[in-house]
């Protein structure tokens, strides 16, 4: 077996092929930047005998293509697990540590025990399993691409649900990210229970609410 560092930059196709052998869980997150809602992670173990065509970084796929691939992954992967950390946990732990916790939860929820975990990015939490963080892995490693799609579609659906409950905030459009429309909604309507109170724009709005 090729020896690779914990954090892998500029991974080659040959390295991807080697590191993807066996029961390998790909892990990715969605929702570190938004002001509202959970940070959502996914862990996916693909079936080596049943490759899925068209997997890529979820951000590079259209919504229609993401949704179609979501169904294909759910039907054909060996196992899929979603993990999350709540706004309360994000406020208590900070977004980085909350994301690591959500990743651990996703891997722990898999119905099969992976032999290795591959995470998109430059950090990897302690899974108790051999693990690697792969820079830009969501566009290079099929299992991570699949995880990015599962996490993205899952969180977007949750933002659509929140939008139906609070349509004045426009969550279906901006998905909770700090856009001009979201700032304007905060200014007009205040902070929801689902907002991350430690994030600066939300904290500033809370101060204004307390003042008046």
């Amino acid at each position: 077996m090729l020896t690779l560092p914990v954090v892998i930059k500029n991974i080659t196709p040959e390295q991807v092929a080697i590191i993807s052998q066996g029961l390998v869980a790909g892990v990715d997150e969605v929702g570190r930047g938004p002001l509202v809602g959970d940070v959502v992670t996914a862990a996916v173990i693909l079936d080596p005998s049943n490759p899925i065509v068209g997997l890529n970084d979820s951000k590079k796929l259209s919504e229609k293509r993401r949704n179609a691939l979501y169904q294909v992954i759910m039907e054909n992967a060996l196992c899929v697990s979603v993990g999350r950390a709540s706004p309360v946990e994000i406020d208590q732990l900070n977004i980085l540590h909350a994301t690591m916790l959500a990743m651990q939860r996703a891997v722990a929820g898999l119905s099969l025990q992976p032999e290795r975990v591959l995470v998109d990015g430059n950090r990897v939490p302690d899974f108790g399993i051999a693990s690697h963080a792969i820079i830009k892995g969501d566009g290079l490693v099929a299992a991570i691409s699949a995880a990015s799609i599962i996490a993205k579609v899952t969180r977007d659906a949750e933002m659509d649900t929140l939008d139906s409950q609070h349509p004045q905030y426009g969550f279906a459009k901006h998905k909770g990210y700090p856009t001009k429309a979201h700032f304007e909604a905060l200014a007009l309507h205040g902070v929801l229970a689902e907002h991350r109170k430690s994030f600066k724009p939300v904290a500033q709005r809370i101060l204004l609410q307390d003042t008046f």
Side-chain angles (χ1 to χ4, degrees):
M1 170 63 82
L2 180 67
T3 300
L4 291 170
V6 173
V7 179
I8 306 173
K9 300 179 181 179
N10 303 316
I11 193 169
T12 67
E14 292 77 17
Q15 289 173 330
V16 170
I18 292 170
I19 209 169
S20 297
Q21 293 175 4
L23 285 180
V24 176
V27 176
D28 202 4
E29 57 76 24
V30 172
R32 287 182 64 172
L35 306 178
V36 69
D38 295 348
V39 58
V40 175
T41 62
V44 178
I45 300 179
L46 295 175
D47 184 351
S49 66
N50 189 17
I52 298 172
V53 177
L55 293 175
N56 201 349
D57 173 4
S58 63
K59 298 185 292 297
K60 297 180 180 178
L61 299 168
S62 68
E63 181 179 4
K64 181 178 180 180
R65 185 63 180 146
R66 279 197 305 269
N67 289 337
L69 282 167
Y70 175 93
Q71 294 300 326
V72 175
I73 295 164
M74 294 300 293
E75 292 168 5
N76 293 279
L78 292 178
C79 55
V80 175
S81 174
V82 172
R84 61 184 68 250
S86 69
V88 170
E89 290 174 317
I90 292 167
D91 292 337
Q92 290 175 343
L93 300 174
N94 76 40
I95 186 59
L96 173 61
H97 289 97
T99 301
M100 297 296 105
L101 175 62
M103 288 182 175
Q104 290 171 321
R105 288 170 171 168
V107 171
L110 289 167
S111 59
L112 295 173
Q113 174 79 10
E115 299 165 5
R116 188 177 304 106
V117 181
L118 306 179
V119 179
D120 178 57
N122 61 4
R123 292 176 183 269
V124 58
D126 181 8
F127 296 112
I129 303 168
S131 309
H132 300 278
I134 301 177
I135 307 297
K136 298 183 179 178
D138 50 3
L140 298 170
V141 180
I144 300 178
S145 299
S148 77
I149 291 166
I150 296 296
K152 172 68 174 168
V153 172
T154 298
R155 192 178 192 282
D156 281 359
E158 292 172 3
M159 286 296 100
D160 290 344
T161 298
L162 193 62
D163 181 80
S164 68
Q165 297 167 349
H166 305 281
Q168 68 272 32
Y169 287 84
F171 294 128
K173 291 184 178 179
H174 55 67
K175 307 303 182 189
Y177 282 88
T179 64
K180 180 181 178 183
H182 196 172
F183 291 148
E184 290 173 349
L186 272 173
L188 284 172
H189 307 294
V191 174
L192 297 171
E194 294 82 359
H195 274 104
R196 301 172 182 180
K197 311 299 191 297
S198 60
F199 279 39
K200 188 174 180 179
V202 180
Q204 290 176 333
R205 185 63 182 85
I206 291 171
L207 283 175
L208 287 174
Q209 288 177 192
D210 292 344
T211 300
F212 295 100

